[in-house]
């Protein structure tokens, strides 16, 4: 299994939206792309994606401000849930926040 976490790029927008919509969290379908675009425009926000065998299966975003990391979205596609991928993203973000001098991370 080829697994990696990398910073999201604008060309990942549609796939990130599909991850969110296929996570099983939302009862109704809606266009998540404008929310992702807003995150990309905010210089304090960073989105990371989890890629398995060249397919985006999850993502997380963190906003760093005043030495506090705030996680607003973390999502894994339904068929890949309960396999430790969410934990992998959380550990990654905690390490990222630590490297960026955050004193705490909140949800």
């Amino acid at each position: 299994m080829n697994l990696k976490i990398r910073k999201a790029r604008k060309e990942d927008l549609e796939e990130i939206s599909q991850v969110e919509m296929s996570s099983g969290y939302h009862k109704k379908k809606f266009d998540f792309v404008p929310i992702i675009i807003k995150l990309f425009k905010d210089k304090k926000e960073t989105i990371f994606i989890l890629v398995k065998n060249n397919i985006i299966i999850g993502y997380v975003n963190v906003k760093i401000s005043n030495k506090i990391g705030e996680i607003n979205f973390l999502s894994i596609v339904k068929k890949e849930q309960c396999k430790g991928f969410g934990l992998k993203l959380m550990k990654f973000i905690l390490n990222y926040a630590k490297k960026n001098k955050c004193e705490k991370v909140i949800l």
Side-chain angles (χ1 to χ4, degrees):
M1 168 177 47
N2 184 7
L3 194 67
K4 67 179 177 178
I5 298 173
R6 68 166 170 82
K7 196 172 183 177
R9 299 183 290 253
K10 288 188 179 179
E11 57 264 25
D12 298 322
L13 286 171
E14 285 294 330
E15 278 187 87
I16 293 169
S17 181
Q18 289 172 7
V19 167
E20 185 66 35
M21 290 299 103
S22 65
S23 69
Y25 178 76
H26 302 284
K27 303 257 187 255
K28 296 180 182 178
K29 297 283 183 190
F30 66 96
D31 187 6
F32 196 72
V33 172
I35 295 169
I36 301 295
I37 290 170
K38 186 177 177 183
L39 295 175
F40 268 107
K41 288 181 178 179
D42 186 338
K43 298 297 181 200
K44 293 179 183 177
E45 298 270 3
T46 307
I47 304 170
F48 292 96
I49 57 173
L50 177 62
V51 181
K52 178 183 173 188
N53 300 327
N54 297 316
I55 298 169
I56 297 173
I57 63 163
Y59 80 98
V60 64
N61 87 296
V62 64
K63 181 176 187 173
I64 296 179
S65 181
N66 300 320
K67 296 187 178 183
I68 297 173
E70 181 180 359
I71 298 170
N72 292 309
F73 297 100
L74 186 151
S75 193
I76 304 291
V77 296
K78 187 107 174 138
K79 69 179 184 175
E80 296 291 352
Q81 292 175 4
C82 300
K83 297 179 181 179
F85 295 129
L87 179 61
K88 187 174 283 297
L89 282 174
M90 282 299 297
K91 286 181 178 180
F92 179 88
I93 283 298
L94 291 173
N95 189 42
Y96 177 80
K98 185 176 180 180
K99 287 179 182 178
N100 283 275
K101 310 283 191 263
C102 288
E103 295 172 357
K104 65 181 175 179
V105 176
I106 60 174
L107 297 174

